[in-house]
Amino acid sequence: MSVSFDLFGTLVEAEYPENPAAAVGAELAARNVAVPDDWEDAYHEVHIDAPDGAEVPLPAHVNAALRSRDVDFRTGGDGHGNVVRRALVAAFDPEVTTREGAVEAVKAAADRGPVAILSNCSVPDLANRTLIRSDLYPPMFDCIMTSLGCGWRKPDARAFESVARMLDTPIEDLIHVGDDPATDGGATAAGATAVLLDDVPLTEFPDWLEAH
């Protein structure tokens, strides 16, 4: 038996910008990128034609949005082509609160077998930075997988299949714990077992795991 946990909204609560487009634009401008006047529109437009279920990395999306407005972002920041990534890291720099029962739930899962994070996240390094700021820490997990890392967003079955492969477990032996029926609930269609917090709160998960 292996267990994967959603991160955001399940193990932790993290505060993000109310207006991501504005936050990213401000961080780009701080790095001498000529942010276009219609940046809000550019940010929310689709610029990359990705397959259904695929994750579009936010740096690639922002790069494409700037190019759509003929902005040469390579002239900003340090001139080495990573100005967009640095701006995104700064824009999504969350304050993190560990949810009640999270540490105990992860430890209970680890007592039964491999444990992973499986979370939708398109921002580089955000999952690791979030864990470091919580009462959890990366070495508690055998695998930290985001949609950015595996290329697929939950509820796409390929996201759950990817984490199962990383944990070297058959998909039918994977339990996925999350808060969102629309995304985490996709574990069931993938052949895994979905455990949703509305049904089994984190504080009750160790007892639920013991019974199963």
Side-chain angles (χ1 to χ4, degrees), residues 37-110:
D37 292 338
D38 65 341
W39 173 244
E40 290 267 352
D41 292 335
Y43 186 89
H44 289 105
E45 291 169 4
V46 175
H47 300 283
I48 297 175
D49 185 16
D52 289 344
E55 179 63 274
V56 175
L58 195 55
H61 170 73
V62 172
N63 289 345
L66 290 170
R67 288 193 184 99
S68 75
R69 300 311 195 261
D70 297 320
V71 175
D72 185 2
F73 56 88
R74 294 169 298 179
T75 62
D78 56 16
H80 294 295
N82 61 359
V83 61
V84 168
R85 183 186 180 97
R86 290 174 181 247
L88 289 173
V89 169
F92 294 91
D93 192 29
E95 293 186 8
V96 177
T97 303
T98 308
R99 297 198 66 190
E100 182 182 4
V103 174
E104 293 77 11
V106 172
K107 288 181 177 178

Side-chain angles (χ1 to χ4, degrees), residues 5 11 23 40 55 59-60 72 78 130 156 160 165 179 204:
F5 289 89
L11 296 178
E40 290 267 352
E55 179 63 274
D72 185 2
D78 56 16
T130 297
D156 194 284
F160 301 101
R165 282 195 300 270
D179 66 305
E204 298 177 11

Side-chain angles (χ1 to χ4, degrees), residues 9-195:
T10 297
L11 296 178
V12 304
E13 298 290 350
E15 294 185 11
Y16 298 111
E18 292 185 6
N19 186 335
V24 171
E27 294 296 342
L28 288 170
R31 289 159 178 78
N32 301 316
V33 174
V35 178
D37 292 338
D38 65 341
W39 173 244
E40 290 267 352
D41 292 335
Y43 186 89
H44 289 105
E45 291 169 4
V46 175
H47 300 283
I48 297 175
D49 185 16
D52 289 344
E55 179 63 274
V56 175
L58 195 55
H61 170 73
V62 172
N63 289 345
L66 290 170
R67 288 193 184 99
S68 75
R69 300 311 195 261
D70 297 320
V71 175
D72 185 2
F73 56 88
R74 294 169 298 179
T75 62
D78 56 16
H80 294 295
N82 61 359
V83 61
V84 168
R85 183 186 180 97
R86 290 174 181 247
L88 289 173
V89 169
F92 294 91
D93 192 29
E95 293 186 8
V96 177
T97 303
T98 308
R99 297 198 66 190
E100 182 182 4
V103 174
E104 293 77 11
V106 172
K107 288 181 177 178
D111 287 341
R112 300 290 294 274
V115 184
I117 293 288
L118 177 61
S119 190
N120 286 348
C121 180
S122 64
V123 181
D125 302 324
L126 180 56
N128 277 310
R129 285 186 290 118
T130 297
L131 283 173
I132 289 169
R133 295 180 182 184
S134 74
D135 295 333
L136 303 158
Y137 47 94
M140 294 178 71
F141 301 92
D142 297 281
C143 170
I144 299 172
M145 180 169 287
T146 64
S147 54
L148 181 62
C150 73
W152 304 102
R153 291 183 64 83
K154 299 175 295 181
D156 194 284
R158 287 165 287 193
F160 301 101
E161 292 165 357
S162 294
V163 78
R165 282 195 300 270
M166 288 298 296
L167 295 177
D168 194 25
T169 191
I171 189 69
E172 59 268 21
D173 291 340
L174 176 69
I175 295 170
H176 179 72
V177 182
D179 66 305
D180 187 353
T183 56
D184 300 302
T188 300
T193 298
V195 177

